[in-house]
Amino acid sequence: MLKLYSFSQSSASYRVRIALALKGLEYDVLGVNLIENAHQSEEYKKLNPQGRVPYLIDGENGLAQSLAIIEYLEEKYPNPSLFPKDIFARQKSRAFAHAIAADIFPLQNLSTRRKIGEDFGQSVEDQAKWSAFWIARGFLGLERELQNNPPQTEYLFADYPTIADICLVPQWNNAVRYGVDLTQFPILASFDKKARNHIAFTTTAPETQK
Ligand SMILES: N[C@@H](CCC(=O)N[C@@H](CS)C(=O)NCC(=O)O)C(=O)O
């Protein structure tokens, strides 16, 4: 049985929970409470020296990084696919996922926010404004790309949920948390709405986790 080290409110963990659900895979969840700094314990860092969640265990093997985990699941369990069939659409879905996971999200990560608080005396409110700024800037780029090339598909880049939808919904939750004005992103909003009502997204959402 697969094991996933995960935290309920972690958007990177939520991405992997969605992927596992879309593929219909069973797994055990092992909670890592980030608020209590469980990810920084020596015990956890022996397992995952990167000291972050998610972390997937498959038998003898352990893997960090949500996008790498999703690619691993795709290769090992190809059906149903989480990637578009068309080669260009497939890379568009990856580019969309990377924009969120590599560009937008790290600037609002717990350790990043805590560090700017410690080093520059930013209040929690200022940290939230900082997060909201980067989310809005990143979303605006993605919205404009979709405006320029309106997708003709039900979900982002395919007629089934892809890695792009998997990254969008958790990030949208973060945007709501930080008070981003989401009326600026009507196309993203419509894709978010479609995906978040899919059973694989609802059954793995933060509020369903222990
Ligand atoms: N690029 C990594 C990011 C993982 C990550 O930073 N996860 C967050 C939770 S969403 C975390 O563990 N944060 C702990 C920290 O910032 O110290 C991935 O996609 O898995």
Side-chain angles (χ1 to χ4, degrees):
M1 174 90 91
L2 295 166
K3 285 187 203 160
L4 182 69
Y5 286 83
S6 161
F7 180 55
S8 54
Q9 303 299 320
S10 149
S11 56
S13 302
Y14 184 20
R15 292 176 203 143
V16 175
R17 296 196 302 264
I18 298 166
L20 287 161
L22 284 167
K23 290 200 174 280
L25 295 169
E26 291 199 2
Y27 61 102
D28 286 328
V29 177
L30 295 139
V32 182
N33 191 323
L34 299 189
I35 307 299
E36 291 170 4
N37 275 330
H39 59 301
Q40 287 300 324
S41 71
E42 278 314 309
E43 193 191 346
Y44 183 67
K45 284 204 283 190
K46 259 189 219 152
L47 180 76
N48 176 11
Q50 294 184 23
R52 296 179 188 276
V53 287
Y55 193 72
L56 183 80
I57 304 279
D58 185 5
E60 298 294 298
N61 298 318
L63 189 60
Q65 295 293 335
S66 60
L67 298 190
I69 295 171
I70 292 168
E71 297 270 1
Y72 173 74
L73 296 174
E74 177 74 9
E75 295 209 14
K76 187 155 180 191
Y77 310 98
N79 294 309
S81 178
L82 308 178
F83 293 82
K85 290 184 182 53
D86 171 76
I87 183 173
F88 190 68
R90 196 151 69 236
Q91 292 316 113
K92 289 285 284 184
S93 73
R94 285 193 171 102
F96 188 100
H98 288 193
I100 289 178
D103 296 349
I104 300 177
F105 175 71
L107 292 164
Q108 82 209 46
N109 208 345
L110 181 64
S111 49
T112 312
R113 283 185 289 111
R114 279 183 179 163
K115 188 74 179 149
I116 53 175
E118 283 161 18
D119 288 0
F120 303 109
Q122 270 204 343
S123 64
V124 172
E125 292 73 31
D126 286 344
Q127 291 169 30
K129 273 194 218 155
W130 156 277
S131 300
F133 171 82
W134 291 111
I135 297 170
R137 178 169 154 172
F139 271 5
L140 202 56
L142 293 172
E143 178 78 15
R144 286 196 181 144
E145 277 189 356
L146 295 171
Q147 256 169 19
N148 293 346
N149 291 294
Q152 305 299 319
T153 47
E154 246 186 275
Y155 292 89
L156 280 165
F157 312 112
D159 288 329
Y160 46 87
T162 70
I163 193 167
D165 304 282
I166 289 174
C167 288
L168 175 61
V169 170
Q171 188 58 48
W172 193 269
N173 289 352
N174 290 341
V176 171
R177 186 186 312 158
Y178 292 118
V180 175
D181 171 13
L182 292 166
T183 60
Q184 307 169 76
F185 318 115
I187 307 178
L188 287 176
S190 68
F191 282 105
D192 169 77
K193 190 171 173 197
K194 173 85 191 175
R196 75 170 49 248
N197 288 314
H198 188 293
I199 190 161
F201 290 67
T202 55
T203 54
T204 55
E207 58 276 14
T208 67
Q209 304 293 299
K210 281 184 238 149

